[in-house]
Coordinates of all heavy atoms in Angstrom, one line a residue:
M1 N 28.1 21.3 -2.7 CA 28.0 19.9 -2.1 C 26.5 19.5 -2.2 O 25.6 20.2 -1.8 CB 28.4 20.0 -0.6 CG 28.4 18.7 0.1 SD 29.2 19.0 1.7 CE 28.5 17.6 2.5
S2 N 26.3 18.3 -2.8 CA 25.0 17.8 -3.0 C 24.6 16.8 -1.9 O 25.5 16.2 -1.4 CB 24.8 17.2 -4.4 OG 25.6 16.0 -4.4
M3 N 23.3 16.8 -1.6 CA 22.8 15.8 -0.6 C 22.2 14.6 -1.4 O 21.4 14.8 -2.2 CB 21.8 16.5 0.2 CG 22.3 17.6 1.0 SD 21.0 18.5 2.0 CE 20.2 17.2 2.9
P4 N 22.7 13.4 -1.1 CA 22.2 12.3 -1.9 C 20.7 12.0 -1.8 O 20.1 11.7 -2.8 CB 23.0 11.1 -1.3 CG 23.8 11.6 -0.1 CD 23.7 13.1 -0.1
N5 N 20.1 12.3 -0.6 CA 18.7 12.1 -0.5 C 17.8 13.1 -1.2 O 16.7 12.9 -1.4 CB 18.3 12.0 1.0 CG 18.7 10.7 1.6 OD1 19.1 9.7 0.9 ND2 18.8 10.7 2.9
A6 N 18.4 14.3 -1.5 CA 17.7 15.3 -2.1 C 17.2 15.0 -3.5 O 16.2 15.5 -4.0 CB 18.5 16.6 -2.1
T7 N 18.0 14.1 -4.2 CA 17.7 13.8 -5.6 C 17.1 12.4 -5.7 O 16.8 12.0 -6.8 CB 18.9 14.0 -6.5 OG1 19.9 13.1 -6.0 CG2 19.4 15.4 -6.5
A8 N 17.1 11.6 -4.6 CA 16.6 10.2 -4.7 C 15.1 10.3 -5.0 O 14.4 11.1 -4.5 CB 16.9 9.5 -3.4
P9 N 14.6 9.3 -5.8 CA 13.2 9.3 -6.0 C 12.5 8.9 -4.8 O 13.0 8.1 -3.9 CB 13.1 8.2 -7.1 CG 14.3 7.3 -6.9 CD 15.4 8.3 -6.5
T10 N 11.3 9.4 -4.6 CA 10.5 9.0 -3.4 C 9.8 7.7 -3.6 O 9.4 7.3 -4.7 CB 9.4 10.1 -3.0 OG1 8.6 10.2 -4.1 CG2 10.1 11.4 -2.7
V11 N 9.7 6.9 -2.5 CA 9.1 5.6 -2.5 C 8.1 5.6 -1.4 O 8.3 6.0 -0.3 CB 10.2 4.5 -2.3 CG1 9.5 3.1 -2.2 CG2 11.2 4.5 -3.3
T12 N 6.9 5.1 -1.7 CA 5.8 5.0 -0.7 C 5.6 3.6 -0.4 O 5.4 2.8 -1.3 CB 4.5 5.7 -1.3 OG1 4.8 7.1 -1.6 CG2 3.4 5.6 -0.2
T13 N 5.6 3.3 0.9 CA 5.5 1.9 1.4 C 4.5 1.8 2.5 O 4.5 2.7 3.3 CB 6.9 1.4 1.9 OG1 7.9 1.6 0.9 CG2 6.8 -0.1 2.3
T14 N 3.6 0.8 2.4 CA 2.6 0.7 3.5 C 2.9 -0.5 4.3 O 3.3 -1.6 3.8 CB 1.2 0.5 2.9 OG1 0.9 1.7 2.1 CG2 0.1 0.4 4.0
Y15 N 2.9 -0.3 5.6 CA 3.2 -1.4 6.6 C 1.9 -1.7 7.5 O 1.1 -0.8 7.7 CB 4.3 -0.9 7.6 CG 5.6 -0.6 6.9 CD1 5.9 0.7 6.5 CD2 6.5 -1.6 6.7 CE1 7.1 1.0 5.9 CE2 7.7 -1.3 6.1 CZ 8.0 0.0 5.7 OH 9.2 0.3 5.1
A16 N 1.8 -2.9 7.9 CA 0.8 -3.3 8.9 C 1.4 -3.1 10.3 O 2.5 -3.5 10.5 CB 0.3 -4.7 8.7
V17 N 0.6 -2.4 11.1 CA 1.1 -2.2 12.5 C 0.0 -2.6 13.5 O -1.2 -2.3 13.3 CB 1.5 -0.7 12.7 CG1 1.8 -0.4 14.2 CG2 2.6 -0.3 11.8
T18 N 0.4 -3.5 14.4 CA -0.6 -3.9 15.4 C -0.5 -3.2 16.7 O 0.6 -2.6 17.0 CB -0.4 -5.4 15.7 OG1 0.9 -5.6 16.3 CG2 -0.6 -6.3 14.5
G19 N -1.6 -3.1 17.4 CA -1.6 -2.5 18.7 C -2.1 -1.0 18.8 O -2.3 -0.5 19.8
M20 N -2.4 -0.4 17.6 CA -2.9 1.0 17.6 C -4.4 1.0 17.7 O -5.1 0.2 17.1 CB -2.5 1.6 16.2 CG -1.0 1.7 16.0 SD -0.6 2.7 14.5 CE -1.5 1.8 13.2
S21 N -4.9 2.0 18.6 CA -6.3 2.0 18.8 C -6.9 3.4 18.9 O -8.1 3.6 19.1 CB -6.7 1.2 20.0 OG -6.0 1.7 21.1
C22 N -6.0 4.5 18.9 CA -6.5 5.8 19.2 C -5.7 6.9 18.6 O -4.7 6.6 18.0 CB -6.6 6.0 20.7 SG -5.0 6.0 21.5
G23 N -6.1 8.1 18.8 CA -5.3 9.3 18.3 C -3.9 9.4 18.9 O -3.0 9.8 18.2
H24 N -3.8 9.0 20.2 CA -2.4 9.0 20.8 C -1.5 8.0 20.0 O -0.3 8.3 19.8 CB -2.5 8.6 22.2 CG -1.1 8.4 22.8 ND1 -0.3 9.4 23.1 CD2 -0.5 7.2 23.1 CE1 0.9 8.9 23.6 NE2 0.8 7.6 23.6
C25 N -2.0 6.9 19.7 CA -1.3 5.9 18.9 C -0.8 6.5 17.6 O 0.3 6.4 17.2 CB -2.1 4.6 18.6 SG -2.8 3.8 20.0
E26 N -1.7 7.1 16.9 CA -1.4 7.8 15.6 C -0.3 8.8 15.8 O 0.7 8.8 15.0 CB -2.7 8.5 15.0 CG -2.4 9.2 13.8 CD -3.7 9.9 13.2 OE1 -4.8 9.7 13.8 OE2 -3.6 10.6 12.2
S27 N -0.4 9.6 16.8 CA 0.6 10.6 17.0 C 2.0 10.0 17.4 O 3.0 10.5 16.9 CB 0.1 11.5 18.2 OG 1.1 12.5 18.5
A28 N 2.0 9.0 18.2 CA 3.2 8.4 18.6 C 3.9 7.7 17.5 O 5.2 7.9 17.3 CB 3.0 7.3 19.7
V29 N 3.2 7.0 16.6 CA 3.8 6.4 15.5 C 4.3 7.4 14.4 O 5.4 7.3 13.9 CB 2.9 5.3 14.8 CG1 3.4 4.8 13.5 CG2 2.6 4.2 15.8
T30 N 3.5 8.4 14.2 CA 3.8 9.5 13.3 C 5.1 10.1 13.7 O 6.0 10.4 12.9 CB 2.7 10.5 13.1 OG1 1.5 9.9 12.6 CG2 3.1 11.6 12.2
K31 N 5.2 10.5 15.0 CA 6.4 11.1 15.5 C 7.7 10.2 15.4 O 8.7 10.7 14.9 CB 6.2 11.6 16.9 CG 7.4 12.3 17.5 CD 7.0 12.8 18.9 CE 8.2 13.5 19.6 NZ 7.9 14.0 20.9
A32 N 7.5 9.0 15.8 CA 8.7 8.1 15.8 C 9.2 7.8 14.4 O 10.4 7.9 14.1 CB 8.3 6.8 16.5
V33 N 8.3 7.5 13.5 CA 8.7 7.1 12.1 C 9.2 8.4 11.4 O 10.1 8.4 10.6 CB 7.6 6.4 11.4 CG1 7.9 6.2 9.9 CG2 7.2 5.1 12.0
G34 N 8.5 9.5 11.6 CA 8.8 10.8 11.0 C 10.2 11.3 11.4 O 10.8 12.1 10.6
A35 N 10.7 10.8 12.5 CA 12.1 11.2 12.9 C 13.2 10.6 12.2 O 14.3 11.0 12.3 CB 12.2 11.0 14.4
L36 N 12.9 9.5 11.4 CA 13.9 8.8 10.6 C 14.4 9.7 9.5 O 13.6 10.4 8.9 CB 13.4 7.5 10.1 CG 12.9 6.5 11.2 CD1 12.3 5.3 10.5 CD2 14.1 6.0 12.0
G37 N 15.7 9.6 9.2 CA 16.3 10.5 8.3 C 15.8 10.6 6.9 O 15.6 11.7 6.4
A38 N 15.5 9.5 6.2 CA 15.0 9.5 4.9 C 13.5 9.7 4.7 O 13.0 9.8 3.6 CB 15.4 8.2 4.1
V39 N 12.8 9.7 5.8 CA 11.3 9.8 5.8 C 10.9 11.2 5.4 O 11.3 12.2 5.9 CB 10.7 9.4 7.1 CG1 9.2 9.7 7.1 CG2 11.0 7.9 7.4
R40 N 10.0 11.3 4.4 CA 9.5 12.6 3.9 C 8.0 12.8 4.4 O 7.6 13.9 4.5 CB 9.5 12.6 2.3 CG 10.9 12.4 1.7 CD 11.7 13.7 2.1 NE 13.1 13.5 1.6 CZ 14.2 13.4 2.4 NH1 14.1 13.4 3.7 NH2 15.4 13.3 1.8
A41 N 7.3 11.7 4.6 CA 5.9 11.8 5.0 C 5.4 10.5 5.7 O 5.9 9.4 5.3 CB 5.0 12.1 3.8
V42 N 4.5 10.7 6.6 CA 4.0 9.5 7.3 C 2.5 9.7 7.4 O 2.0 10.8 7.8 CB 4.5 9.4 8.8 CG1 3.9 8.2 9.5 CG2 6.0 9.3 8.8
A43 N 1.7 8.7 7.1 CA 0.2 8.7 7.2 C -0.2 7.5 8.0 O 0.1 6.3 7.6 CB -0.4 8.8 5.8
V44 N -0.9 7.7 9.1 CA -1.3 6.5 9.9 C -2.8 6.4 9.8 O -3.5 7.3 10.0 CB -0.9 6.8 11.4 CG1 -1.4 5.7 12.3 CG2 0.6 7.0 11.5
D45 N -3.2 5.1 9.6 CA -4.7 4.8 9.6 C -4.9 3.8 10.7 O -4.6 2.6 10.5 CB -5.0 4.2 8.2 CG -6.5 3.8 8.1 OD1 -7.2 3.8 9.1 OD2 -7.0 3.6 7.0
V46 N -5.3 4.3 11.8 CA -5.4 3.5 13.0 C -6.5 2.4 12.8 O -6.2 1.3 13.2 CB -5.8 4.4 14.3 CG1 -6.2 3.5 15.5 CG2 -4.7 5.3 14.6
A47 N -7.6 2.8 12.2 CA -8.7 1.8 12.0 C -8.2 0.6 11.2 O -8.6 -0.5 11.4 CB -9.9 2.5 11.4
A48 N -7.4 0.9 10.2 CA -6.9 -0.2 9.3 C -5.7 -0.9 9.8 O -5.2 -1.9 9.3 CB -6.7 0.3 7.9
G49 N -5.0 -0.2 10.8 CA -3.8 -0.8 11.3 C -2.6 -0.7 10.3 O -1.8 -1.6 10.2
R50 N -2.6 0.5 9.6 CA -1.6 0.7 8.5 C -0.9 2.0 8.7 O -1.5 3.0 9.2 CB -2.3 0.6 7.2 CG -2.8 -0.8 6.9 CD -3.2 -0.9 5.5 NE -3.7 -2.3 5.3 CZ -4.1 -2.8 4.2 NH1 -4.1 -2.0 3.1 NH2 -4.5 -4.1 4.1
V51 N 0.4 2.0 8.3 CA 1.2 3.2 8.3 C 1.8 3.3 6.9 O 2.5 2.3 6.5 CB 2.3 3.1 9.4 CG1 3.2 4.3 9.3 CG2 1.7 3.0 10.8
T52 N 1.6 4.4 6.3 CA 2.1 4.6 4.9 C 3.3 5.6 5.1 O 3.1 6.7 5.6 CB 1.1 5.1 4.0 OG1 0.0 4.1 3.9 CG2 1.6 5.3 2.6
V53 N 4.5 5.2 4.6 CA 5.7 6.0 4.8 C 6.2 6.3 3.4 O 6.4 5.5 2.5 CB 6.7 5.2 5.6 CG1 8.0 6.0 5.8 CG2 6.2 4.7 6.9
T54 N 6.5 7.6 3.2 CA 7.1 8.1 1.9 C 8.6 8.4 2.3 O 8.8 9.2 3.2 CB 6.4 9.3 1.4 OG1 5.0 8.9 1.1 CG2 7.0 9.7 0.1
T55 N 9.5 7.8 1.6 CA 10.9 8.0 1.8 C 11.7 8.4 0.6 O 11.2 8.2 -0.5 CB 11.6 6.7 2.3 OG1 11.3 5.6 1.4 CG2 11.1 6.3 3.7
A56 N 12.8 9.0 0.8 CA 13.8 9.3 -0.3 C 14.5 8.0 -0.5 O 15.3 7.6 0.3 CB 14.7 10.4 0.1
G57 N 14.2 7.3 -1.6 CA 14.8 6.0 -1.9 C 14.1 4.9 -1.2 O 13.1 5.1 -0.5
E58 N 14.6 3.7 -1.3 CA 14.0 2.6 -0.6 C 14.1 2.7 0.9 O 15.1 3.2 1.4 CB 14.8 1.3 -1.0 CG 14.4 0.7 -2.4 CD 12.9 0.3 -2.5 OE1 12.4 -0.3 -1.5 OE2 12.3 0.7 -3.5
P59 N 13.0 2.4 1.6 CA 12.9 2.5 3.0 C 13.8 1.5 3.7 O 14.0 0.4 3.2 CB 11.5 2.3 3.4 CG 11.0 1.5 2.3 CD 11.7 1.9 1.1
D60 N 14.3 1.8 4.9 CA 15.0 0.8 5.7 C 14.0 0.2 6.6 O 13.6 0.8 7.7 CB 16.1 1.6 6.5 CG 16.9 0.7 7.4 OD1 16.5 -0.5 7.7 OD2 17.9 1.1 7.9
D61 N 13.5 -1.0 6.2 CA 12.4 -1.7 6.9 C 12.8 -1.9 8.4 O 11.9 -1.8 9.3 CB 12.0 -3.0 6.3 CG 11.3 -2.8 5.0 OD1 10.8 -1.7 4.7 OD2 11.3 -3.8 4.2
A62 N 14.0 -2.2 8.7 CA 14.5 -2.5 10.0 C 14.4 -1.2 10.9 O 14.0 -1.3 12.1 CB 15.9 -3.1 10.1
A63 N 14.8 -0.1 10.3 CA 14.7 1.2 11.1 C 13.2 1.6 11.3 O 12.9 2.1 12.4 CB 15.4 2.3 10.3
V64 N 12.4 1.3 10.3 CA 10.9 1.6 10.5 C 10.4 0.8 11.6 O 9.7 1.2 12.5 CB 10.2 1.5 9.2 CG1 8.7 1.7 9.4 CG2 10.6 2.5 8.2
A65 N 10.7 -0.5 11.6 CA 10.2 -1.5 12.6 C 10.7 -1.1 14.0 O 9.9 -1.1 14.9 CB 10.7 -2.9 12.3
E66 N 12.0 -0.6 14.1 CA 12.5 -0.2 15.4 C 11.8 1.0 15.9 O 11.5 1.1 17.1 CB 14.0 0.0 15.3 CG 14.6 0.4 16.6 CD 16.1 0.5 16.5 OE1 16.8 0.2 15.5 OE2 16.7 1.0 17.5
A67 N 11.5 2.0 15.0 CA 10.8 3.2 15.4 C 9.4 2.9 15.9 O 9.0 3.4 16.9 CB 10.8 4.2 14.2
V68 N 8.7 2.0 15.2 CA 7.4 1.6 15.6 C 7.4 0.9 16.9 O 6.6 1.1 17.8 CB 6.7 0.7 14.5 CG1 5.4 0.0 15.0 CG2 6.4 1.5 13.2
D69 N 8.4 0.0 17.1 CA 8.6 -0.7 18.3 C 8.9 0.2 19.5 O 8.3 0.1 20.6 CB 9.7 -1.7 18.2 CG 9.9 -2.6 19.5 OD1 8.9 -3.3 19.8 OD2 11.0 -2.5 20.1
D70 N 9.7 1.2 19.2 CA 10.1 2.2 20.3 C 8.8 3.0 20.7 O 8.7 3.5 21.8 CB 11.2 3.2 19.8 CG 12.5 2.5 19.8 OD1 12.7 1.3 20.3 OD2 13.5 3.1 19.2
A71 N 7.9 3.2 19.8 CA 6.7 3.9 20.0 C 5.7 3.1 20.8 O 4.6 3.5 21.3 CB 6.0 4.4 18.8
G72 N 5.9 1.7 20.9 CA 5.1 0.9 21.7 C 4.2 0.0 20.9 O 3.2 -0.6 21.4
Y73 N 4.4 -0.2 19.6 CA 3.6 -1.0 18.7 C 4.4 -2.0 18.0 O 5.7 -2.0 18.1 CB 2.8 0.0 17.8 CG 2.1 1.1 18.6 CD1 2.7 2.3 18.7 CD2 0.9 0.8 19.2 CE1 2.2 3.3 19.5 CE2 0.4 1.8 20.0 CZ 1.0 3.0 20.2 OH 0.4 4.0 21.0
E74 N 3.8 -2.8 17.2 CA 4.6 -3.8 16.4 C 4.3 -3.7 14.9 O 3.2 -3.8 14.5 CB 4.2 -5.2 16.9 CG 5.0 -6.3 16.3 CD 4.6 -7.7 16.8 OE1 3.9 -7.8 17.8 OE2 5.1 -8.7 16.2
L75 N 5.4 -3.6 14.2 CA 5.3 -3.7 12.7 C 5.2 -5.1 12.3 O 6.0 -5.9 12.6 CB 6.5 -3.0 12.1 CG 6.4 -2.8 10.6 CD1 7.0 -1.4 10.2 CD2 7.1 -3.8 9.9
A76 N 4.1 -5.4 11.6 CA 3.8 -6.8 11.2 C 4.3 -7.1 9.8 O 4.2 -8.2 9.3 CB 2.3 -7.1 11.3
G77 N 4.8 -6.1 9.1 CA 5.3 -6.3 7.7 C 4.7 -5.4 6.7 O 3.8 -4.6 7.0
R78 N 5.2 -5.5 5.5 CA 4.6 -4.7 4.4 C 3.3 -5.2 3.9 O 3.1 -6.4 4.0 CB 5.6 -4.6 3.2 CG 6.9 -3.9 3.4 CD 7.7 -3.8 2.1 NE 9.0 -3.1 2.3 CZ 9.6 -2.5 1.4 NH1 9.1 -2.5 0.1 NH2 10.7 -1.9 1.6
V79 N 2.5 -4.4 3.4 CA 1.2 -4.8 2.9 C 1.1 -4.4 1.4 O 1.8 -3.6 0.9 CB -0.1 -4.3 3.6 CG1 -0.1 -4.9 5.0 CG2 0.0 -2.8 3.7

């Protein structure tokens, strides 16, 4: 039995996120976004207000936005 995400090409997408200001922010966003199923890696740049997400296939922007919102921040869109 094959897993569809195992062979999907990885896609790296950068999002603007508002409200982050510290290491706790970085940890909260990393944990929330990293818990999404297709996410392979998350890199948070608090100073730039950016989150770079590597996914198996195209990312689900709505799911990423919801995860960021659940962590207490706001996704402002792709950059």
Side-chain angles (χ1 to χ4, degrees):
M1 182 170 159
S2 66
M3 296 175 55
N5 286 343
T7 58
T10 58
V11 177
T12 301
T13 308
T14 301
Y15 299 94
V17 176
T18 60
M20 299 186 302
S21 62
C22 64
H24 170 74
C25 302
E26 177 181 355
S27 176
V29 171
T30 299
K31 181 177 179 180
V33 175
L36 298 174
V39 173
R40 300 294 178 245
V42 180
V44 178
D45 183 342
V46 172
R50 295 191 176 182
V51 176
T52 301
V53 181
T54 302
T55 54
E58 281 298 316
D60 181 345
D61 290 341
V64 174
E66 184 176 349
V68 169
D69 184 60
D70 288 349
Y73 309 95
E74 183 179 351
L75 189 139
R78 291 185 182 206
V79 292

